[in-house]
Amino acid sequence: LRAIFGVDREMNADEILQRARALPGMRNLAKLSSQDVATVEAIRNLLPKLGFGNGALKLYSGSVPLDFIREGSVMLAVQTDGGFAPGVRETLMIVARELGRLA
């Protein structure tokens, strides 16, 4: 992450999230608590039982979609300005993985 964000020191979780929010096309980003991860997973597991299939889960806040990125025990809720800019989804996957290592 230091190379991605151009810093020469270790960053804490708050700084990592702040820098991730500044990536191109980002509107907002939040790290979910473990309880919130369980809630999202419960909804994701419920949908196939209701006959909606196993596709990706996308929620909306108003008219803006929320995407979820999960790496290990960390899940990020992400709002973009119409989609992910090139490389941003992959960067957020690395961010989630590194946040998991900090925990």
Side-chain angles (χ1 to χ4, degrees):
L1 283 180
R2 290 189 313 224
I4 291 171
F5 293 130
V7 298
D8 62 354
R9 59 186 162 63
E10 293 296 321
M11 295 176 285
N12 64 29
D14 290 334
E15 185 177 3
I16 291 169
L17 289 170
Q18 178 183 358
R19 289 181 180 274
R21 287 183 189 104
L23 291 168
M26 295 295 296
R27 185 175 281 195
N28 201 359
L29 169 74
K31 179 181 177 284
L32 278 66
S33 70
S34 58
Q35 182 178 353
D36 293 336
V37 170
T39 300
V40 171
E41 289 299 330
I43 293 169
R44 191 175 277 162
N45 292 332
L46 173 65
L47 293 178
K49 295 175 186 173
L50 298 175
F52 292 105
N54 290 331
L57 177 65
K58 188 175 278 193
L59 299 176
Y60 285 79
S61 176
S63 63
V64 182
L66 285 169
D67 288 291
F68 295 95
I69 295 175
R70 182 166 189 184
E71 288 289 322
S73 64
V74 174
M75 183 179 285
L76 302 174
V78 183
Q79 285 184 317
T80 63
D81 291 324
F84 289 98
V88 170
R89 180 186 296 272
E90 294 78 6
T91 299
L92 293 175
M93 292 167 72
I94 294 168
V95 164
R97 191 174 312 131
E98 291 302 313
L99 289 173
R101 289 182 186 166
L102 290 177

